[in-house]
Amino acid sequence: MSFPSLLPIAALPFPEIDPVIVQIGPLAIHWYGLAYVVGIVFAWWYAKRLVSNPRLWPDGKLPMKPQDIDDFVVWAAVGVVLGGRIGYVLFYDFARYLANPGDIFAVWQGGMSFHGGILGTTIAMLLFARSRGIHPWSLFDVVAAGVPVGLGLGRLANFINSELWGRVSDMPWAVVFPTGGSLPRHPSQLYEGLLEGVVLFLVLRLLTHSRLKLGTPRFVSGAFICGYGLSRIFVEFFREPDAQIGYLAGNWLTMGMVLSVPMVLIGIWAMTTARPLARSAQA
């Protein structure tokens, strides 16, 4: 029996979950949209807890008020959505949107770039920190610490939507996706959700609460940026590249890898050059 004929036998059935949670007339609530909302709300709640806990900061001096986080959440939402959408349009499917510019606004159809989203959020954080007199890196740190939860939920939504699936695989947990042809594929969305969501959140939690790295501005955000980049590069070896782009070189280099390498380098720079706040200066 040939190897390809064994692949469907080893595959797991795809769970038939409707991408639309509920629809009332023309209004539809999608899992993808819910993931964004829950991710933003969690990051807001978690950041407020971090800036309300004196134990996590040198000499117990808090760098900002919880009310500042309340005000920033709107800025963050705008930065994530605009940056994520613009990044996807420019990096992944520019020709299509150039031909059909109206589709740019159809965000319910999917198509968001994390790299664009983080750039948009970074701009929002810089502008907000400057307007409030907050140390920018401290704002980056408290926001970054809660972001992985939203990333994990977003990848779970990708799985439910049967999108961004992996390469053909004979692993026993491979899945036949409704939109991915008849052969089983790596559930790379779940790999990415586990690494970017669960593992990265726990690593950052260790840094903030056990190692007290919030007292070393930009170390936590550097760990987040580097951790995401490494996770994304690893998962790209199992993920099917976007059809409109394909492989950039050989049968392995993808756009996701190219965009993630600078993140790893920036994250390493941020962590290695971060310096603890002097306690005497906090008295």
Side-chain angles (χ1 to χ4, degrees):
M1 184 176 292
S2 63
F3 177 67
S5 64
L6 285 174
L7 289 175
I9 298 176
L12 294 175
F14 181 79
E16 295 296 336
I17 303 175
D18 193 335
V20 177
I21 303 173
V22 63
Q23 182 162 0
I24 304 175
L27 177 64
I29 300 177
H30 294 72
W31 288 106
Y32 195 73
L34 182 64
Y36 263 82
V37 172
V38 174
I40 291 173
V41 170
F42 177 85
W44 160 71
W45 171 81
Y46 194 66
K48 287 187 66 172
R49 288 183 62 87
L50 293 179
V51 300
S52 301
N53 188 347
R55 185 185 72 83
L56 304 180
W57 303 91
D59 295 328
K61 186 173 181 180
L62 303 174
M64 66 198 82
K65 304 181 184 70
Q67 291 80 3
D68 291 322
I69 302 298
D70 290 338
D71 296 337
F72 174 68
V73 70
V74 177
W75 295 56
V78 173
V80 167
V81 174
L82 286 182
R85 190 59 172 175
I86 293 172
Y88 183 82
V89 171
L90 295 178
F91 299 148
Y92 290 97
D93 212 353
F94 183 69
R96 170 198 164 189
Y97 291 106
L98 185 63
N100 303 281
D103 289 350
I104 294 175
F105 304 99
V107 294
W108 56 88
Q109 296 177 0
M112 298 288 282
S113 164
F114 171 81
H115 300 90
I118 195 171
L119 181 59
T121 307
T122 297
I123 294 173
M125 285 190 284
L126 286 172
L127 294 175
F128 183 82
R130 182 177 180 181
S131 70
R132 295 294 178 93
I134 298 172
H135 194 305
W137 283 112
S138 290
L139 181 59
F140 290 171
D141 289 344
V142 298
V143 171
V147 168
V149 170
L151 296 180
L153 292 174
R155 295 310 177 188
L156 184 59
N158 290 147
F159 180 81
I160 293 173
N161 289 348
S162 184
E163 61 187 4
L164 305 182
W165 19 257
R167 306 182 194 188
V168 174
S169 170
D170 63 341
M171 302 304 292
W173 55 81
V175 176
V176 177
F177 290 92
T179 59
S182 60
L183 295 178
R185 297 176 175 274
H186 283 287
S188 55
Q189 314 98 319
L190 302 184
Y191 302 168
E192 201 163 353
L194 178 63
L195 290 176
E196 298 172 4
V198 179
V199 175
L200 187 53
F201 175 77
L202 293 177
V203 169
L204 297 181
R205 175 81 179 187
L206 176 68
L207 293 177
T208 57
H209 286 70
S210 296
R211 303 297 299 276
L212 301 180
K213 286 297 184 178
L214 288 174
T216 306
R218 78 167 168 259
F219 192 95
V220 174
S221 47
F224 166 75
I225 295 170
C226 182
Y228 174 85
L230 291 174
S231 299
R232 181 65 180 269
I233 291 171
F234 175 78
V235 174
E236 285 290 312
F237 284 102
F238 302 94
R239 178 175 166 178
E240 187 79 13
D242 294 78
Q244 69 275 12
I245 298 178
Y247 294 104
L248 301 182
N251 195 37
W252 62 276
L253 185 64
T254 66
M255 178 63 76
M257 292 179 180
V258 171
L259 295 175
S260 295
V261 168
M263 295 185 67
V264 174
L265 298 178
I266 292 172
I268 292 174
W269 166 82
M271 288 187 288
T272 56
T273 60
R275 295 293 179 265
L277 294 172
R279 287 191 172 273
S280 58
Q282 300 298 308

